[in-house]
Amino acid sequence: MPTIVLPDDARTIIDRLHDAGYECYAVGGCVRDCLLGMTPHDWDFATSALPDEIERVFSDLVTVDVGKRYGTIAVLLNGHSYEVTTYRVDGDYTDARHPDEVRFSPCLRDDLSRRDFTVNAMAYDPIGGLYDAFDGERDLRYRVIRCVGDPTHRFGEDALRVLRALRFSSVLGFSIEPATERAIFSCCDRLSDIAPERLMRELLRLLCGDNVSAVLRRYRSVIAVFIPELSGTFDFAQNTPHHNRDVYKHIVASIKNIEPDPVLRTTMLFHDIGKPMSLVVDRRGISHFKGHPMLSAAMSEEILRRLCCSNNFIDDVCTLIRYHDERLTPDPPMLKRYLKTLGERRMRMLLSVQRADILAQSMYLRQEKLSTLSQCEQEVERILSSGECYRLSMLAVNGRDILHLGVSAGVRIGELLDEVLDKVIDGELLNDRDALLSYLRQRI
Ligand code: ATP
Ligand code: MG
């Protein structure tokens, strides 16, 4: 019987409910992660106590009603929030999304049987140890995602579980058990009924998993249910020496070449989505995709808006996509101009995107491309640490100086500053106050 060392706070919550005469277990993801030897990022508890009773047991602490109707009370302890939920069984699902009613139950097994996968349906308390009614521990050992109960029925109740199965497969590196997988393919159409923000939350976690490439390859038809634009890239051949894969396989290969950051992984997923629509074949039969970064960015913006992403997120992703194919060279003025447009953070991200892209292309000119990119990276770092000017706020003059020279407020000031900045970047002017003022005096 495996043992889990519970953190003090978890121990406190469980002990308090036990002392008051109720059952209480750590449940779900935290039990799974502990058994895998990983540190859970949060702890959830299931108890036989009703919501009012939970509040009473923790009346000396701050409790928050985060979903009392569904049995959940958050308990604040030592600066952390812990969700404590009454055992419940979900009622019927008529719309593949929301249970029509929630019923509380006195029985732990009921609560576990409503959970999605066997590895997520284990409970633990320090006295009884592991409660594992659905062989979750065995599935953890064999690294398998398997529905609790009949998969078709379970996906019919809540289609988001289809995407959650893929998410856990990507994050944990588990395979999906055959009957569960068959049901994924037969039920995935119902993903179109799911709220976009729920889809996006799971998709981002899927994208940030270690096993993302294998999952995207095998379950591409599932992702295409809610991002149909992707299917244009499936098996779309690229007859160019730069590529030895079709567009989708290239996308999939590029994703694992970049760190697991939501913006970066989403950028890779969509960076070439506009290629099929921008194909031109020349007389020698070679493919060209002129303008595809712009088109990919426009398509991505539409997709990400539909999926309710934040403006900042969309802006980051679409900017990186727009610039992903720029031919950068280690020329300081050129790099400073990109730094001016993109800023330091996005510039570094762009270099990562370009590296991930190159590493998923054919070997044709690869060493040359990588070596140029490394030189650009070094040059960018040099510029950043040197303090050399690449943006308006680093310029030795500002708008007020131009006002003092007699230009009245308005767009003209911005234009002049921009002109001076360009000259400084190009090395035509020193970023020196007197030099810039004398240039401006002449100009005005
Ligand atoms: P992590 O917190 O690492 O994402 P988790 O397993 O805790 O993993 P959550 O989304 O936090 O995932 O859900 C907590 C638990 O609630 C799950 O372990 C699972 O038992 C149950 N659960 C969550 N979503 C569903 C769902 N759509 N259908 C059935 N059970 C679910
Ligand atoms: Mg969780």
Side-chain angles (χ1 to χ4, degrees):
M1 174 70 100
T3 49
I4 290 176
V5 182
L6 296 171
D8 289 346
D9 286 356
R11 194 66 214 233
T12 303
I13 287 174
I14 293 175
D15 285 350
R16 284 256 206 135
L17 282 155
H18 282 182
D19 292 346
Y22 303 105
E23 296 174 12
C24 180
Y25 294 83
V27 277
C30 58
V31 177
R32 178 198 68 221
D33 290 348
C34 284
L35 294 179
L36 286 171
M38 304 182 337
T39 309
H41 58 85
D42 54 18
W43 288 80
D44 296 316
F45 303 89
T47 178
S48 57
L50 293 168
D52 287 332
E53 297 170 326
I54 300 172
E55 283 176 335
R56 217 169 303 136
V57 169
F58 297 103
S59 58
D60 58 321
L61 299 173
V62 177
T63 57
V64 184
D65 172 0
V66 288
K68 203 166 172 180
R69 234 164 63 75
Y70 301 99
T72 304
I73 301 289
V75 177
L76 299 187
L77 189 55
N78 298 318
H80 293 275
S81 162
Y82 298 93
E83 292 197 348
V84 182
T85 305
T86 308
Y87 297 156
R88 51 175 243 223
V89 273
D90 296 333
D92 290 335
Y93 290 77
T94 41
D95 62 354
R97 272 179 297 191
H98 304 292
D100 297 339
E101 52 160 355
V102 170
R103 273 180 296 127
F104 298 134
S105 161
C107 171
L108 172 66
R109 195 194 150 93
D110 283 347
D111 186 80
L112 297 178
S113 67
R114 75 173 166 88
R115 293 172 185 270
D116 45 10
F117 307 113
T118 59
V119 295
N120 289 345
M122 291 180 279
Y124 189 90
D125 87 322
I127 297 152
L130 188 69
Y131 186 92
D132 180 18
F134 303 101
D135 283 332
E137 201 205 349
R138 179 202 58 197
D139 286 340
L140 271 189
R141 242 189 342 260
Y142 290 103
R143 305 172 63 76
V144 168
I145 300 298
R146 179 198 310 270
C147 282
V148 172
D150 173 58
T152 308
H153 180 73
R154 301 312 308 284
F155 292 141
E157 286 173 343
D158 179 4
L160 184 70
R161 290 171 188 156
V162 167
L163 193 55
R164 284 174 60 85
L166 272 47
R167 185 255 277 198
F168 286 113
S169 175
S170 172
V171 170
L172 300 172
F174 286 18
S175 61
I176 298 180
E177 174 272 329
T180 300
E181 179 176 85
R182 279 196 298 279
I184 284 175
F185 286 122
S186 65
C187 301
C188 64
D189 282 351
R190 303 193 64 178
L191 278 175
S192 45
D193 299 337
I194 300 294
E197 55 271 32
R198 291 179 83 204
L199 292 172
M200 192 60 198
R201 214 176 308 133
E202 292 296 336
L203 177 66
L204 287 180
R205 302 189 69 174
L206 186 168
L207 290 177
C208 291
D210 283 349
N211 198 31
V212 55
S213 294
V215 169
L216 289 179
R217 218 176 297 125
R218 193 171 177 93
Y219 301 102
R220 63 182 200 179
S221 59
V222 178
I223 309 294
V225 171
F226 60 99
I227 311 179
E229 294 90 339
L230 264 181
S231 55
T233 67
F234 297 170
D235 309 309
F236 195 92
Q238 320 190 63
N239 297 314
T240 143
H242 294 281
H243 285 277
N244 54 349
R245 298 180 172 93
D246 65 51
V247 177
Y248 188 69
K249 289 203 184 76
H250 163 71
I251 287 174
V252 167
S254 74
I255 281 200
K256 63 174 188 323
N257 295 335
I258 206 154
E259 63 190 280
D261 167 86
V263 166
L264 293 174
R265 291 264 165 114
T266 306
T267 298
M268 296 325 292
L269 180 66
F270 294 139
H271 76 284
D272 277 349
I273 199 168
K275 266 190 172 175
M277 303 257 278
S278 46
L279 171 71
V280 174
V281 180
D282 70 17
R283 274 174 299 148
R284 293 164 303 157
I286 308 285
S287 306
H288 300 275
F289 302 100
K290 251 206 160 65
H292 82 273
M294 275 302 192
L295 185 56
S296 297
M299 292 172 73
S300 306
E301 177 167 357
E302 197 176 309
I303 295 167
L304 296 172
R305 290 231 176 277
R306 198 170 69 217
L307 291 171
C308 302
C309 296
S310 72
N311 289 337
N312 285 342
F313 184 86
I314 295 174
D315 197 33
D316 276 351
V317 169
C318 294
T319 303
L320 291 170
I321 292 178
R322 214 162 38 242
Y323 286 93
H324 83 267
D325 210 30
E326 297 286 298
R327 202 67 55 79
L328 301 180
T329 59
D331 167 52
M334 178 200 202
L335 292 175
K336 284 178 187 171
R337 227 169 258 119
Y338 280 105
L339 273 167
K340 170 185 158 193
T341 314
L342 295 171
E344 180 178 338
R345 182 182 64 92
R346 284 178 178 180
M347 184 73 200
R348 288 211 175 91
M349 288 175 126
L350 178 64
L351 294 164
S352 304
V353 166
Q354 293 211 338
R355 178 171 297 274
D357 195 3
I358 293 170
L359 291 173
Q361 295 170 0
S362 70
M363 294 306 286
Y364 176 67
L365 298 181
R366 177 178 292 191
Q367 279 324 310
E368 289 83 340
K369 294 176 192 169
L370 286 177
S371 126
T372 306
L373 186 65
S374 297
Q375 290 170 36
C376 290
E377 282 164 347
Q378 282 169 23
E379 189 52 34
V380 165
E381 291 310 320
R382 188 200 64 73
I383 293 168
L384 290 173
S385 59
S386 71
E388 286 174 23
C389 172
Y390 63 85
R391 58 178 144 85
L392 287 179
S393 61
M394 299 174 90
L395 216 49
V397 292
N398 59 28
R400 194 163 326 130
D401 295 320
I402 298 184
L403 261 174
H404 285 153
L405 291 177
V407 178
S408 51
V411 279
R412 183 77 188 121
I413 292 185
E415 285 168 6
L416 281 167
L417 280 174
D418 235 24
E419 179 182 322
V420 169
L421 177 58
D422 283 340
K423 293 211 174 292
V424 168
I425 285 178
D426 285 333
E428 290 172 26
L429 281 174
L430 272 181
N431 189 24
D432 168 89
R433 199 174 153 73
D434 292 336
L436 297 184
L437 286 176
S438 97
Y439 171 81
L440 281 165
R441 242 176 251 118
Q442 223 177 352
R443 215 28 207 87
I444 294 161

